Amino acid sequence: MRLAALTLVLASLSLGLQAAPKRTSKKTSSRPADGSVHVMRKGETAAAVARANGMSLAELGALNPGRKLAKLAVGDRLKVRASRSAAAADLDDAAPVAALPALPRPALAA
């Protein structure tokens, strides 16, 4: 039996046969439109992930329905929205807003 298996392996190598590539299923429909997914790391909490992404814990829960945020494990994937700091960076790239003219301060009555 071993000889037959060895012969089969050697024959496939000499013919240049390769193993079929591994199939991976990518579920693009479950990802948010902006592709924001956070992978949980050791020691992280749902509250820390929410805070880092500029959202509340309730918002994080709403983006991940059916998931128990208290029972997350290392490697779990959570949908998150773009952080507010990223949105602020987008505003910085926008055209500058014209400054309002300075008005003199009224004098205080004594």
Side-chain angles (χ1 to χ4, degrees), residues 6 37 49:
L6 183 59
V37 176
V49 171

Side-chain angles (χ1 to χ4, degrees), residues 18-94:
Q18 296 178 352
K22 291 184 179 179
R23 293 184 186 180
T24 58
S25 70
K26 293 184 179 180
K27 295 181 181 180
T28 56
S29 62
S30 65
R31 290 188 178 189
D34 64 354
S36 299
V37 176
H38 178 82
V39 180
M40 294 297 292
R41 294 183 295 248
K42 183 178 179 180
E44 277 187 322
T45 63
V49 171
R51 192 177 322 116
N53 288 285
M55 43 194 311
S56 69
L57 196 55
E59 289 173 316
L60 184 65
L63 281 175
N64 297 280
R67 180 159 310 230
K68 294 183 179 182
L69 297 181
K71 301 279 184 178
L72 294 174
V74 173
D76 283 353
R77 300 170 72 85
L78 292 177
K79 296 177 189 175
V80 294
R81 65 174 168 79
S83 66
R84 289 192 179 124
S85 60
D90 290 342
L91 291 177
D92 292 340
D93 294 339

Side-chain angles (χ1 to χ4, degrees), residues 9-23:
V9 170
L10 291 175
S12 66
L13 289 176
S14 66
L15 293 175
L17 299 177
Q18 296 178 352
K22 291 184 179 179
R23 293 184 186 180

